[in-house]
């Protein structure tokens, strides 16, 4: 009976750790900065498609 209680306690602790870890991973909601230094007339997302236009 004692091993069942220890197993339940370990399961509960691991569950709490997983929930807090998933919450921390999901809360990183910052957007990456976009490099806008390229020439808008000759590039699409700063990658030239077909040479000069």
């Amino acid at each position: 009976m004692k091993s069942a209680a220890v197993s339940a306690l370990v399961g509960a602790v691991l569950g709490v750790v997983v929930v807090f870890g998933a919450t921390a991973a999901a809360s990183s909601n910052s957007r990456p900065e976009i490099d806008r230094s390229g020439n808008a007339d000759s590039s699409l997302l700063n990658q030239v498609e077909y040479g000069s236009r």
Side-chain angles (χ1 to χ4, degrees), residues 2-29:
K2 183 178 178 183
S3 63
V6 171
S7 178
L9 180 63
V10 169
V13 169
L14 286 177
V16 169
V17 168
V18 167
V19 168
F20 279 120
T23 303
S27 68
S28 61
N29 55 4

Side-chain angles (χ1 to χ4, degrees), residues 23-43:
T23 303
S27 68
S28 61
N29 55 4
S30 62
R31 295 188 325 186
E33 294 296 324
I34 298 174
D35 179 20
R36 299 187 188 276
S37 63
N39 185 355
D41 293 333
S42 67
S43 63

